Amino acid sequence: MTERLAGVRLAPYTTLGLGGPARAFVAAGSAEEIVELVAAADRAGEPVLVLGGGSNLVVSDEGFDGLVVKVASRGVEIDGDRITVQAGEGWDELVALAVAEGRSGIECLSGIPGLVGSTPIQNVGAYGQDMSETIISVRVYDRRTGELGDLSARECGLAYRHSVFKEDPGRYVVLAVTYELPKDELSGPVTYKELAVRLGVALGDRAPLAEVRAAVLELRRGKGMVLDADDPDSRSAGSFFTNAILFAGEAAELELRAPGFPRWDMPGGSVKVPAAWLIENAGFPKGYRRGPARISTKHTLAMTNPELAATTADLLDLAREVRDGVREKFGVTLVNEPVIVGTRL
């Protein structure tokens, strides 16, 4: 088993470059080792943080007073249209593989940082695609029962940026994910206007997989959403706030405050309101700074650590200012998307 280390700083393991030391740190190279480490810590009553790519994580300046298990399991198995991928594989590497092999279904999710094991937790989505469309099952270790099992897509409860893994964050450890990615040189119907414009196709049309991947990567780079050591705006956790989902009464109240506000209709009469619009119109433009932390100069939803000089406290101060300003202006409370460890927003 990999050596257990003490006092490892977690900042280098996060895309924000933030986070204090872990009391103990182990890199687990297989699903079996992940289970063994987590189970042993649970028996000993030791807190556990399962760490993936650190791209959706905000760790406190004090760090984590327990065991950090760094997921480093690898392996891809292909059985017809089904691909089972170990949790430690890089997500964008999987997308690149799928596109190269002519497998349709995840091409619009190109450039998203992080590991495969994180994708069902957030029901990762972008540019008109999300995980609920391709996930068949998720292999998990259930810390409550001490058993291994497979959850179907339905049992995962995949919804907008939500899943059973987020409902009960301490229960399951994701070990592998099985996707259904059929052979097809064309993407699914392009439903995201910005992507359709970039591709030069009509909404609902399909396009070659490689062209879709290239267009998505170009769009994401333009928003600082592709990891790049030379781009300070990419030192973020991606979108810090989810789009707001409002029930009919809440939407009516917002209409009084902001007539004609942008929205997308959702099932059950609710509407989705772009968080970026709320933030900008509450007085927080791209590049807005609070000390060493700032909003991305390219994308209003990203809170960044551009010079790697901020602390977690600095970043959260900025996020609170934005959240509270939106609430005061529009009566809408934004919800953070990244997982926050050891502190709170």
Side-chain angles (χ1 to χ4, degrees):
M1 183 176 291
T2 309
E3 181 183 3
R4 182 174 170 130
L5 304 174
V8 173
R9 286 184 64 247
L10 297 178
Y13 292 93
T14 73
T15 53
L16 272 166
L18 297 174
R23 188 173 72 192
F25 182 99
V26 180
S30 68
E32 293 76 18
E33 192 172 0
I34 295 169
V35 172
E36 184 178 347
L37 287 164
V38 173
D42 286 345
R43 288 193 298 270
E46 182 177 26
V48 177
L49 172 63
V50 179
L51 175 63
S55 59
N56 195 51
L57 186 66
V58 181
V59 180
S60 73
D61 295 312
E62 291 71 33
F64 186 71
D65 188 20
L67 173 66
V68 173
V69 177
K70 177 70 177 77
V71 176
S73 53
R74 306 302 296 271
V76 178
E77 297 178 14
I78 300 176
D79 181 10
D81 289 343
R82 295 195 173 191
I83 301 182
T84 298
V85 189
Q86 295 299 306
E89 290 283 350
W91 170 253
D92 194 52
E93 286 80 358
L94 175 63
V95 179
L97 173 65
V99 169
E101 290 205 345
R103 293 181 177 275
S104 179
I106 55 176
E107 58 282 348
C108 293
L109 305 178
S110 294
I112 295 175
L115 303 184
V116 162
S118 301
T119 59
I121 297 172
Q122 287 291 114
N123 186 24
V124 168
Y127 296 102
Q129 285 182 341
D130 64 45
M131 290 291 94
S132 64
E133 300 167 24
T134 53
I135 286 179
I136 299 299
S137 63
V138 179
R139 184 72 168 167
V140 298
Y141 171 62
D142 187 338
R143 297 171 66 186
R144 184 179 299 169
T145 65
E147 297 177 347
L148 296 173
D150 294 288
L151 299 180
S152 68
R154 182 184 60 79
E155 290 171 321
C156 290
L158 302 174
Y160 173 66
R161 301 298 178 270
H162 195 68
S163 66
V164 295
F165 309 108
K166 290 191 74 173
E167 286 179 13
D168 195 353
R171 179 172 180 179
Y172 297 107
V173 178
V174 175
L175 303 175
V177 186
T178 298
Y179 307 90
E180 184 164 12
L181 303 175
K183 283 278 193 177
D184 195 329
E185 293 295 334
L186 296 179
S187 70
V190 177
T191 60
Y192 199 86
K193 184 177 180 180
E194 185 181 24
L195 178 58
V197 170
R198 184 59 59 97
L199 288 165
V201 302
L203 284 173
D205 284 354
R206 305 171 74 200
L209 296 177
E211 292 183 15
V212 173
R213 174 169 167 78
V216 169
L217 287 172
E218 187 178 0
L219 287 169
R220 290 185 65 86
R221 285 193 187 96
K223 298 173 182 178
M225 292 294 188
V226 174
L227 294 181
D228 182 347
D230 295 326
D231 182 1
D233 281 323
S234 73
R235 294 167 195 154
S236 75
S239 296
F240 198 91
F241 295 106
T242 60
N243 292 325
I245 306 297
L246 305 183
F247 295 113
E250 296 169 320
E253 181 179 339
L254 180 56
E255 181 67 25
L256 294 175
R257 297 186 185 221
F261 69 88
R263 75 204 81 185
W264 298 286
D265 291 333
M266 299 286 286
S270 61
V271 298
K272 182 191 295 184
V273 183
W277 183 89
L278 291 168
I279 291 168
E280 291 204 38
N281 285 275
F284 302 100
K286 297 180 183 72
Y288 182 89
R289 181 181 286 268
R290 183 184 178 95
R294 78 175 181 204
I295 294 174
S296 167
T297 64
K298 302 180 182 73
H299 195 305
T300 319
L301 279 181
M303 307 286 144
T304 69
N305 179 17
E307 290 90 27
L308 295 177
T311 63
T312 301
D314 293 328
L315 186 92
L316 292 182
D317 281 345
L318 172 61
R320 289 187 195 101
E321 183 182 1
V322 171
R323 179 199 60 191
D324 295 348
V326 168
R327 183 167 53 205
E328 181 177 350
K329 174 82 171 179
F330 296 115
V332 175
T333 301
L334 295 177
V335 176
N336 56 284
E337 186 168 333
V339 175
I340 299 177
V341 173
T343 183
R344 64 177 58 186
L345 183 60

PDB file of all heavy atoms in Angstrom, residues 41-58:
ATOM      1  N   ALA A  41     -10.293   3.723   7.889  1.00  0.00           N
ATOM      2  CA  ALA A  41     -10.470   5.014   8.563  1.00  0.00           C
ATOM      3  C   ALA A  41     -11.828   5.084   9.245  1.00  0.00           C
ATOM      4  O   ALA A  41     -11.948   5.600  10.371  1.00  0.00           O
ATOM      5  CB  ALA A  41     -10.321   6.147   7.547  1.00  0.00           C
ATOM      6  N   ASP A  42     -12.861   4.567   8.592  1.00  0.00           N
ATOM      7  CA  ASP A  42     -14.198   4.572   9.189  1.00  0.00           C
ATOM      8  C   ASP A  42     -14.223   3.740  10.468  1.00  0.00           C
ATOM      9  O   ASP A  42     -14.833   4.132  11.472  1.00  0.00           O
ATOM     10  CB  ASP A  42     -15.230   4.046   8.195  1.00  0.00           C
ATOM     11  CG  ASP A  42     -15.547   5.043   7.085  1.00  0.00           C
ATOM     12  OD1 ASP A  42     -15.192   6.231   7.243  1.00  0.00           O
ATOM     13  OD2 ASP A  42     -16.146   4.627   6.081  1.00  0.00           O
ATOM     14  N   ARG A  43     -13.573   2.592  10.428  1.00  0.00           N
ATOM     15  CA  ARG A  43     -13.537   1.749  11.642  1.00  0.00           C
ATOM     16  C   ARG A  43     -12.825   2.460  12.784  1.00  0.00           C
ATOM     17  O   ARG A  43     -13.186   2.294  13.950  1.00  0.00           O
ATOM     18  CB  ARG A  43     -12.839   0.423  11.326  1.00  0.00           C
ATOM     19  CG  ARG A  43     -13.650  -0.536  10.460  1.00  0.00           C
ATOM     20  CD  ARG A  43     -13.036  -1.926  10.463  1.00  0.00           C
ATOM     21  NE  ARG A  43     -11.690  -1.937   9.894  1.00  0.00           N
ATOM     22  CZ  ARG A  43     -11.412  -2.129   8.607  1.00  0.00           C
ATOM     23  NH1 ARG A  43     -12.407  -2.314   7.741  1.00  0.00           N
ATOM     24  NH2 ARG A  43     -10.170  -2.130   8.178  1.00  0.00           N
ATOM     25  N   ALA A  44     -11.824   3.261  12.439  1.00  0.00           N
ATOM     26  CA  ALA A  44     -11.051   3.968  13.462  1.00  0.00           C
ATOM     27  C   ALA A  44     -11.677   5.292  13.861  1.00  0.00           C
ATOM     28  O   ALA A  44     -11.159   5.979  14.752  1.00  0.00           O
ATOM     29  CB  ALA A  44      -9.627   4.209  12.947  1.00  0.00           C
ATOM     30  N   GLY A  45     -12.780   5.664  13.212  1.00  0.00           N
ATOM     31  CA  GLY A  45     -13.420   6.936  13.509  1.00  0.00           C
ATOM     32  C   GLY A  45     -12.643   8.132  13.001  1.00  0.00           C
ATOM     33  O   GLY A  45     -12.784   9.241  13.531  1.00  0.00           O
ATOM     34  N   GLU A  46     -11.847   7.931  11.964  1.00  0.00           N
ATOM     35  CA  GLU A  46     -11.033   9.001  11.411  1.00  0.00           C
ATOM     36  C   GLU A  46     -11.771   9.673  10.255  1.00  0.00           C
ATOM     37  O   GLU A  46     -12.251   8.993   9.349  1.00  0.00           O
ATOM     38  CB  GLU A  46      -9.705   8.429  10.902  1.00  0.00           C
ATOM     39  CG  GLU A  46      -8.752   9.473  10.352  1.00  0.00           C
ATOM     40  CD  GLU A  46      -7.421   8.873   9.922  1.00  0.00           C
ATOM     41  OE1 GLU A  46      -7.381   7.670   9.586  1.00  0.00           O
ATOM     42  OE2 GLU A  46      -6.422   9.606   9.927  1.00  0.00           O
ATOM     43  N   PRO A  47     -11.881  10.999  10.245  1.00  0.00           N
ATOM     44  CA  PRO A  47     -12.528  11.686   9.114  1.00  0.00           C
ATOM     45  C   PRO A  47     -11.794  11.389   7.814  1.00  0.00           C
ATOM     46  O   PRO A  47     -10.566  11.260   7.792  1.00  0.00           O
ATOM     47  CB  PRO A  47     -12.419  13.165   9.491  1.00  0.00           C
ATOM     48  CG  PRO A  47     -12.227  13.182  10.969  1.00  0.00           C
ATOM     49  CD  PRO A  47     -11.450  11.944  11.288  1.00  0.00           C
ATOM     50  N   VAL A  48     -12.549  11.298   6.718  1.00  0.00           N
ATOM     51  CA  VAL A  48     -11.982  10.980   5.409  1.00  0.00           C
ATOM     52  C   VAL A  48     -12.437  12.005   4.372  1.00  0.00           C
ATOM     53  O   VAL A  48     -13.611  12.358   4.320  1.00  0.00           O
ATOM     54  CB  VAL A  48     -12.418   9.572   4.940  1.00  0.00           C
ATOM     55  CG1 VAL A  48     -11.882   9.284   3.533  1.00  0.00           C
ATOM     56  CG2 VAL A  48     -11.937   8.501   5.907  1.00  0.00           C
ATOM     57  N   LEU A  49     -11.503  12.452   3.562  1.00  0.00           N
ATOM     58  CA  LEU A  49     -11.809  13.262   2.384  1.00  0.00           C
ATOM     59  C   LEU A  49     -11.296  12.504   1.169  1.00  0.00           C
ATOM     60  O   LEU A  49     -10.094  12.248   1.055  1.00  0.00           O
ATOM     61  CB  LEU A  49     -11.132  14.634   2.464  1.00  0.00           C
ATOM     62  CG  LEU A  49     -11.215  15.511   1.203  1.00  0.00           C
ATOM     63  CD1 LEU A  49     -12.658  15.872   0.888  1.00  0.00           C
ATOM     64  CD2 LEU A  49     -10.358  16.767   1.359  1.00  0.00           C
ATOM     65  N   VAL A  50     -12.208  12.112   0.281  1.00  0.00           N
ATOM     66  CA  VAL A  50     -11.818  11.459  -0.964  1.00  0.00           C
ATOM     67  C   VAL A  50     -11.573  12.554  -1.993  1.00  0.00           C
ATOM     68  O   VAL A  50     -12.477  13.310  -2.339  1.00  0.00           O
ATOM     69  CB  VAL A  50     -12.901  10.473  -1.438  1.00  0.00           C
ATOM     70  CG1 VAL A  50     -12.489   9.825  -2.758  1.00  0.00           C
ATOM     71  CG2 VAL A  50     -13.144   9.400  -0.374  1.00  0.00           C
ATOM     72  N   LEU A  51     -10.335  12.639  -2.482  1.00  0.00           N
ATOM     73  CA  LEU A  51      -9.901  13.743  -3.335  1.00  0.00           C
ATOM     74  C   LEU A  51      -9.713  13.264  -4.770  1.00  0.00           C
ATOM     75  O   LEU A  51      -8.942  12.338  -5.030  1.00  0.00           O
ATOM     76  CB  LEU A  51      -8.581  14.312  -2.797  1.00  0.00           C
ATOM     77  CG  LEU A  51      -7.899  15.410  -3.614  1.00  0.00           C
ATOM     78  CD1 LEU A  51      -8.770  16.649  -3.684  1.00  0.00           C
ATOM     79  CD2 LEU A  51      -6.543  15.753  -2.996  1.00  0.00           C
ATOM     80  N   GLY A  52     -10.444  13.895  -5.687  1.00  0.00           N
ATOM     81  CA  GLY A  52     -10.281  13.590  -7.100  1.00  0.00           C
ATOM     82  C   GLY A  52      -9.306  14.554  -7.740  1.00  0.00           C
ATOM     83  O   GLY A  52      -8.168  14.698  -7.302  1.00  0.00           O
ATOM     84  N   GLY A  53      -9.768  15.269  -8.762  1.00  0.00           N
ATOM     85  CA  GLY A  53      -8.901  16.215  -9.459  1.00  0.00           C
ATOM     86  C   GLY A  53      -8.833  17.581  -8.797  1.00  0.00           C
ATOM     87  O   GLY A  53      -8.069  18.447  -9.241  1.00  0.00           O
ATOM     88  N   GLY A  54      -9.635  17.805  -7.759  1.00  0.00           N
ATOM     89  CA  GLY A  54      -9.587  19.079  -7.045  1.00  0.00           C
ATOM     90  C   GLY A  54     -10.125  20.251  -7.829  1.00  0.00           C
ATOM     91  O   GLY A  54      -9.880  21.409  -7.478  1.00  0.00           O
ATOM     92  N   SER A  55     -10.911  19.959  -8.897  1.00  0.00           N
ATOM     93  CA  SER A  55     -11.399  21.040  -9.746  1.00  0.00           C
ATOM     94  C   SER A  55     -12.737  21.596  -9.299  1.00  0.00           C
ATOM     95  O   SER A  55     -13.188  22.611  -9.830  1.00  0.00           O
ATOM     96  CB  SER A  55     -11.521  20.552 -11.194  1.00  0.00           C
ATOM     97  OG  SER A  55     -12.411  19.448 -11.267  1.00  0.00           O
ATOM     98  N   ASN A  56     -13.348  20.953  -8.330  1.00  0.00           N
ATOM     99  CA  ASN A  56     -14.651  21.407  -7.829  1.00  0.00           C
ATOM    100  C   ASN A  56     -14.613  21.459  -6.307  1.00  0.00           C
ATOM    101  O   ASN A  56     -15.558  21.089  -5.636  1.00  0.00           O
ATOM    102  CB  ASN A  56     -15.754  20.462  -8.307  1.00  0.00           C
ATOM    103  CG  ASN A  56     -17.131  21.058  -8.145  1.00  0.00           C
ATOM    104  OD1 ASN A  56     -17.387  22.172  -8.565  1.00  0.00           O
ATOM    105  ND2 ASN A  56     -18.030  20.316  -7.517  1.00  0.00           N
ATOM    106  N   LEU A  57     -13.485  21.930  -5.784  1.00  0.00           N
ATOM    107  CA  LEU A  57     -13.211  21.811  -4.357  1.00  0.00           C
ATOM    108  C   LEU A  57     -12.613  23.101  -3.813  1.00  0.00           C
ATOM    109  O   LEU A  57     -11.716  23.681  -4.413  1.00  0.00           O
ATOM    110  CB  LEU A  57     -12.228  20.652  -4.139  1.00  0.00           C
ATOM    111  CG  LEU A  57     -11.903  20.234  -2.709  1.00  0.00           C
ATOM    112  CD1 LEU A  57     -13.134  19.662  -2.012  1.00  0.00           C
ATOM    113  CD2 LEU A  57     -10.775  19.210  -2.716  1.00  0.00           C
ATOM    114  N   VAL A  58     -13.138  23.526  -2.660  1.00  0.00           N
ATOM    115  CA  VAL A  58     -12.573  24.649  -1.916  1.00  0.00           C
ATOM    116  C   VAL A  58     -12.225  24.138  -0.525  1.00  0.00           C
ATOM    117  O   VAL A  58     -13.112  23.754   0.238  1.00  0.00           O
ATOM    118  CB  VAL A  58     -13.565  25.826  -1.809  1.00  0.00           C
ATOM    119  CG1 VAL A  58     -12.933  26.981  -1.042  1.00  0.00           C
ATOM    120  CG2 VAL A  58     -14.017  26.289  -3.193  1.00  0.00           C
TER     121      VAL A  58
END
